[in-house]
Amino acid sequence: MPEHTTASRLQLSGLCFLLQILTIILFAVFVRYSPESSPGPCSQQLNCSWRNQDLGFQHPRFRDVHLQALLGFGLLVAFLGRYGPGSVAISILVVAFAIQWAVLIQGFSYFFLNGKIYVGAQSMVSADFCTAAILISTGAILGRVNPVQMLLLTLLGVTLFTLNEYILLSLMGVSDSGGSLTVHTFGAYFGLMVSRILHQPHMDKRKEQQDTGHQPDVFAVVGTIYLWIFWPSFTSATTVHDNAEPWAVLNTYFSLVASTLASFVLLPVLYEESTLRMVQIQDATLAGMAVMGMAGEMLVTPFGALIVGFLAGLIPPLGFRFLTPVLCSRLKIQDTCGVHNVHGLPGILGALLGMLLTALATADAYGGRLELVFPLVAQGSRTATDQVLCQLCALPITLLLATLGGSLTG
């Protein structure tokens, strides 16, 4: 056993060394600072979600998104008493490598010009979005893989995430500014398929999510507070400034409060516990925000955001109570942190909502915002029906890449 432990430590040390040396060499060859006077190579070459953004304006939002990715998502996996401190360390390891690898892989797709990758606040926000999706994936397999395997998952996951995002945002022109599909849905089902391949029968009887004690709830409290503070910036970080941001922020907040209230409606009915656990409130918070990823910058209306948020808030309690046992017993999917209920299903609901709102989008309703939310429609190069079909096709494409990629990675 000590020999096995020593070998594992040496494998982790060696892999971290090799990956860091590799990224240093690639950075030295390809990565350069983005010119401050330029809106960015991305807006010159590709129709992607990071278009027409000012680097100085982006810095505060980059800070918020980075805090959200590191603290909000990092503390999400810390509520499990069985894995708490170690899971936070692994999350930081994943973040540290994912950001570097995402800057490179996404740089070749979005920020590559004249043989160089030009990095700035735009590329860092993009890398943080990618990192968030990988952290979601790790939540499905937490406690059943070692740090070396987590690094390999990150290596492949970042590459597949970028491929999916490039197909959806650049080639198809899909509007998904807050990542209902690219972040939440992809991250959840990618992780779930890895979990399915790594199924361990002897773990079925463990109550992985029924941890007790004071420390897990403290982690959940801090994580939830960070979600409340920073997620509206996360949802609106890739929207074009001045006009589209207020809608994304307001819709996210309305969805958030309604989803949290929905958890208080169902939890006392479904569970016999006298006091609600903070982890359950955390799940509802995530669901309400995941559902607003695609539709946040669209014309949801305040009451519509409340309705959708309330529906999203019902998913985690019902999912944990009825769906998770079925996934484990029938499909052999061990979802440690419940990412299917918290990210996967709300992400799909958000994508469906985005399709509906796209079908209802008109120039009269959006005014000047139409060019910001659906630029191809506003320019006349695509009809509203074509945009709806693109939004519709984006869901099966994401699910296909996530499931196939997760199976390969597993």
Side-chain angles (χ1 to χ4, degrees):
M1 189 66 178
E3 292 181 0
H4 174 72
T5 304
T6 302
S8 298
R9 294 204 315 269
L10 292 177
Q11 285 178 356
L12 177 61
S13 176
L15 183 60
C16 288
F17 178 79
L18 290 176
L19 291 177
Q20 188 60 72
I21 293 300
L22 174 63
T23 53
I24 288 174
I25 293 173
L26 292 174
F27 266 63
V29 174
F30 293 107
V31 179
R32 300 291 184 271
Y33 293 123
S34 178
E36 293 182 358
S37 60
S38 170
C42 172
S43 60
Q44 298 171 9
Q45 290 186 326
L46 299 170
N47 173 33
C48 59
S49 64
W50 328 108
R51 58 190 179 270
N52 301 329
Q53 296 179 357
D54 176 72
L55 295 180
F57 180 83
Q58 271 285 54
H59 175 70
R61 277 195 269 186
F62 159 65
R63 176 197 60 209
D64 291 350
V65 171
H66 192 61
L67 282 170
Q68 169 67 23
L70 187 62
L71 290 173
F73 281 102
L75 290 173
L76 291 181
V77 298
F79 70 85
L80 296 171
R82 188 189 307 275
Y83 315 119
S87 64
V88 177
I90 291 179
S91 295
I92 294 176
L93 173 65
V94 169
V95 169
F97 176 60
I99 288 178
Q100 298 180 68
W101 193 240
V103 166
L104 289 168
I105 299 300
Q106 292 183 322
F108 288 116
S109 300
Y110 297 129
F111 307 101
F112 195 66
L113 187 65
N114 298 326
K116 302 296 179 184
I117 297 171
Y118 291 94
V119 297
Q122 297 179 37
S123 52
M124 294 309 296
V125 169
S126 176
D128 275 328
F129 266 65
C130 179
T131 301
I134 303 306
L135 287 174
I136 291 171
S137 299
T138 62
I141 56 176
L142 187 66
R144 289 180 287 125
V145 296
N146 58 40
V148 171
Q149 293 169 317
M150 280 292 192
L151 284 175
L152 295 176
L153 178 142
T154 303
L155 185 72
L156 292 172
V158 167
T159 305
L160 291 166
F161 170 91
T162 304
L163 174 63
N164 181 64
E165 185 184 56
Y166 181 78
I167 293 173
L168 265 57
L169 303 185
S170 295
L171 299 184
M172 298 176 60
V174 172
S175 177
D176 187 26
S177 63
S180 281
L181 280 177
T182 55
V183 176
H184 296 282
T185 304
F186 177 86
Y189 288 98
F190 177 77
L192 289 171
M193 286 308 299
V194 175
S195 177
R196 174 64 185 87
I197 300 300
L198 300 180
H199 173 68
Q200 299 174 2
H202 66 276
M203 293 190 65
D204 286 339
K205 297 181 181 180
R206 294 186 184 180
K207 295 183 177 180
E208 298 185 62
Q209 297 170 19
Q210 298 301 319
D211 293 287
T212 58
H214 179 66
Q215 187 182 28
D217 280 334
V218 171
F219 279 129
V221 168
V222 177
T224 303
I225 290 174
Y226 271 99
L227 292 174
W228 275 72
I229 295 173
F230 293 111
W231 199 295
S233 294
F234 188 91
T235 304
S236 63
T238 61
T239 59
V240 182
H241 60 82
D242 294 335
N243 291 320
E245 183 189 6
W247 279 9
V249 172
L250 291 173
N251 290 334
T252 301
Y253 266 119
F254 289 138
S255 177
L256 163 63
V257 296
S259 65
T260 303
L261 202 61
S263 66
F264 282 91
V265 173
L266 270 187
L267 289 172
V269 178
L270 295 176
Y271 298 94
E272 298 178 356
E273 298 176 6
S274 57
T275 57
L276 297 178
R277 299 182 60 203
M278 196 63 201
V279 174
Q280 297 165 328
I281 310 304
Q282 189 182 53
D283 293 337
T285 301
L286 278 165
M289 294 171 173
V291 77
M292 207 48 66
M294 178 180 289
E297 63 177 341
M298 300 180 187
L299 186 58
V300 183
T301 71
F303 79 90
L306 290 175
I307 293 173
V308 176
F310 187 82
L311 293 176
L314 300 177
I315 294 176
L318 292 173
F320 281 114
R321 184 69 175 83
F322 301 108
L323 187 57
T324 299
V326 175
L327 289 178
C328 187
S329 61
R330 300 288 180 87
L331 300 180
K332 309 302 181 184
I333 296 177
Q334 298 158 324
D335 187 2
T336 307
C337 293
V339 297
H340 185 239
N341 306 315
V342 177
H343 297 280
L345 293 178
I348 291 177
L349 178 61
L352 296 175
L353 173 65
M355 297 173 201
L356 174 62
L357 294 174
T358 302
L360 299 176
T362 62
D364 293 335
Y366 279 74
R369 289 178 184 261
L370 187 66
E371 185 175 358
L372 303 176
V373 182
F374 303 111
L376 297 179
V377 177
Q379 296 166 7
S381 58
R382 175 181 291 177
T383 66
T385 303
D386 292 336
Q387 185 66 40
V388 172
L389 290 176
C390 288
Q391 303 281 134
L392 178 64
C393 293
L395 178 57
I397 289 174
T398 298
L399 292 175
L400 181 64
L401 282 174
T403 52
L404 292 180
S407 300
L408 173 66
T409 303

